[in-house]
Amino acid sequence: MLITFKSKAAADVVMYESHAKPILDMLHKDVARGVITAAESGDAIALLERQITASKAHEAVEMLERDINAHHNANTDDHNHEKIEPVSFSARAYPLLDMLREAKKGDYDILWGV
């Protein structure tokens, strides 16, 4: 299922529900329908920026761990490499973060599911 974030501040941001859910959970928002008010946008930006920073620190470790597991699996066969997820959390979250920043500047709300 897709979630479309709408605001007068920026173009719509469309995300898969599975990608938007961790962000909305962090902001204590319902996935089905909700609003991030202009007043809430400052706190939302700070939370999302901290999560992006934390995820970037873990990405390198996780990629190394996946590579080690792929090369040293139970069969000691490295021909079946695990597919690495090419899109990071930070890359998925940046469009919404950008929208939040613009909404804060213009004092606009962000809505979804309406």
Side-chain angles (χ1 to χ4, degrees):
M1 183 171 162
L2 295 175
I3 295 177
T4 303
F5 295 94
K6 297 177 175 287
S7 177
K8 291 182 180 180
D12 291 356
V13 172
V14 180
M15 298 175 79
Y16 284 111
E17 182 179 332
S18 61
H19 299 151
K21 186 174 179 357
I23 296 169
L24 294 173
D25 286 348
M26 180 178 54
L27 300 174
H28 306 288
K29 299 290 183 179
D30 185 26
V31 175
R33 180 172 44 188
V35 62
I36 300 171
T37 64
E40 296 173 315
S41 62
D43 290 337
I45 291 167
L47 277 170
L48 197 49
E49 285 175 340
R50 280 196 302 271
Q51 186 63 32
I52 287 171
T53 301
S55 74
K56 283 183 178 181
H58 295 292
E59 285 172 12
V61 172
E62 290 171 358
M63 284 176 42
L64 178 61
E65 196 172 284
R66 279 194 297 265
D67 193 46
I68 288 171
N69 288 337
H71 288 293
H72 302 285
N73 60 30
N75 300 328
T76 64
D77 176 10
D78 67 350
H79 297 293
N80 297 320
H81 293 277
E82 179 181 335
K83 186 176 180 182
I84 295 176
E85 184 178 336
V87 182
S88 66
F89 172 80
S90 58
R92 293 186 197 283
Y94 256 89
L96 183 57
L97 178 59
D98 228 17
M99 179 184 266
L100 279 163
R101 289 176 178 152
E102 292 302 314
K104 183 179 178 191
K105 284 182 201 173
D107 201 33
Y108 293 113
D109 296 340
I110 296 174
L111 306 165
W112 63 95
V114 291

